[in-house]
Amino acid sequence: MKRKVSKAVFPVAGLGTRFLPATKSIPKEIMTLVDRPLIQYAIDEARAAGIREFIFVTSRGKSALEDYFDHAPELENVLRKAGKDHLLEALKATNMESGAIAYIRQHRPMGLGHAVWCAKRLVGNEAFAVILPDDVIAAEKPCLAQMVEAYAETGGNIVAAMEVAPSQASSYGILDIAEENGPLVRAKGMVEKPAAGTAPSNVAVIGRYILTPRIMQNLSRIKPGAGGEIQLTDAIAAEIARGGNVFGYRFRGQRFDCGSKAGFLKATVAFGLAREDLGAEFWDYLAEMFAMRRAAQ
Ligand code: G1P
């Protein structure tokens, strides 16, 4: 049997307090990296991995997300009449097939694990992906597609993994490593946001997961963990404890933490420079800035 993943869960219920006041009236997932909202990068990556059903776990104040993935007949008409085909084309990426997208609300902010659990009935009894849109990954082959390929070989549960500086380990889910096999790391444990100096490794979990339905069952049972929240990491660790397979996958690509201001700025620079229509002008501007700074020193 070929292992397939056709559903992805997008936890997008967070308040985005790190970006206030911007996020007072817009969801952080709508914040723009060059000219596309963060959520668009996540959706494109899911599509490239063969995902057909998109499940958003939202909360109050996130209706802009639903509008973003809806048709905009007036706007499309205006663009069509004006012959702006390239803009119509750009809008196409935001359209979803009827029935392909579902929204479910997390009524209280009880953690990432709880947000994923809210999608339990929509996911049903099959393997599913989770994408955290804050983690933007620039890669030749999109990260989730790399993971789906690995999953076809391994089955079990796979999380995206990346080395971080030891001083950063307490900001992540961290893998306790049993063995390494190329890009795959078999985990014998996993801990969410370990206290400084206690991390079992410096291999961190990044926001891409392929999970078995048992993770949903574990989420129903586990107690609040780090920060008093229901943690996805704990539900995956529980799976290891009961003998399930959990792998870290060292993806090829560059990850940007768009959940932080500095990370968002770095992503803006990197994605801006990589753009054919903007890169040259942007490089010139940066070179000018460096020259001015050097002259001032
Ligand atoms: C979440 C997960 C954490 C993971 C991180 C990756 O944490 O709980 O295990 O390492 O995403 O970005 P958050 O950044 O939401 O606190």
Side-chain angles (χ1 to χ4, degrees):
M1 189 192 76
K2 182 123 174 62
R3 297 189 186 94
K4 274 179 44 186
V5 188
S6 60
K7 296 182 180 176
V9 176
F10 300 83
V12 290
L15 288 173
T17 47
R18 280 198 262 177
F19 285 94
L20 281 171
T23 45
K24 183 182 170 201
S25 64
I26 54 158
K28 71 171 170 179
E29 298 78 14
I30 291 287
M31 292 199 324
T32 313
L33 194 48
V34 187
D35 53 9
R36 294 191 297 159
L38 286 186
I39 194 66
Q40 183 74 58
Y41 292 88
I43 290 288
D44 289 350
E45 187 177 327
R47 279 187 174 134
I51 299 295
R52 309 295 295 265
E53 288 181 53
F54 306 82
I55 303 164
F56 283 70
V57 182
T58 68
S59 60
R60 282 186 298 283
K62 298 278 181 163
S63 47
L65 269 171
E66 300 189 29
D67 291 340
Y68 179 77
F69 288 112
D70 209 338
H71 274 276
E74 298 86 358
L75 175 61
E76 285 166 24
N77 268 338
V78 170
L79 295 175
R80 202 166 295 116
K81 280 193 189 131
K84 304 236 157 108
D85 292 349
H86 63 293
L87 294 180
L88 278 169
E89 195 56 37
L91 278 186
K92 258 196 198 152
T94 69
N95 291 154
M96 289 286 185
E97 267 173 55
S98 296
I101 190 161
Y103 300 92
I104 190 152
R105 280 199 181 192
Q106 182 188 31
H107 295 109
R108 276 184 216 104
M110 290 170 66
L112 175 61
H114 179 262
V116 170
W117 175 84
C118 288
K120 187 171 189 285
R121 258 174 270 162
L122 291 169
V123 164
N125 194 30
E126 58 184 276
F128 61 101
V130 176
I131 296 189
L132 309 187
D134 274 3
D135 281 330
V136 174
I137 300 174
E140 209 163 296
K141 175 180 274 194
C143 180
L144 191 64
Q146 296 177 35
M147 289 170 68
V148 164
E149 254 175 36
Y151 170 76
E153 300 293 318
T154 61
N157 301 275
I158 304 195
V159 302
M162 182 184 105
E163 314 251 313
V164 296
S167 61
Q168 299 294 306
S170 55
S171 303
Y172 293 91
I174 298 289
L175 298 178
D176 191 355
I177 296 168
E179 65 180 297
E180 308 228 13
N181 180 11
L184 280 172
V185 174
R186 182 188 292 275
K188 60 177 181 203
M190 231 170 126
V191 39
E192 179 68 12
K193 306 205 168 73
T198 68
S201 77
N202 60 346
V203 179
V205 177
I206 299 304
R208 306 288 183 274
Y209 308 75
I210 296 176
L211 301 173
T212 52
R214 276 229 294 268
I215 299 298
M216 288 293 194
Q217 293 165 22
N218 296 350
L219 282 169
S220 309
R221 283 193 287 265
I222 59 168
K223 301 256 163 356
E229 298 187 331
I230 303 287
Q231 295 291 353
L232 185 55
T233 297
D234 293 347
I236 303 172
E239 195 50 28
I240 302 175
R242 68 193 293 285
N245 279 330
V246 174
F247 300 96
Y249 179 78
R250 294 178 197 263
F251 56 93
R252 298 175 301 283
Q254 193 182 1
R255 173 257 186 176
F256 296 92
D257 174 14
C258 290
S260 80
K261 287 176 205 177
F264 207 114
L265 284 172
K266 289 176 195 170
T268 301
V269 173
F271 279 72
L273 290 176
R275 282 275 293 253
E276 253 175 49
D277 54 341
L278 298 166
E281 182 180 345
F282 200 19
W283 269 120
D284 286 348
Y285 172 68
L286 290 183
E288 213 176 285
M289 284 192 65
F290 289 135
M292 270 165 58
R293 186 171 168 169
R294 227 174 288 127
Q297 272 166 357

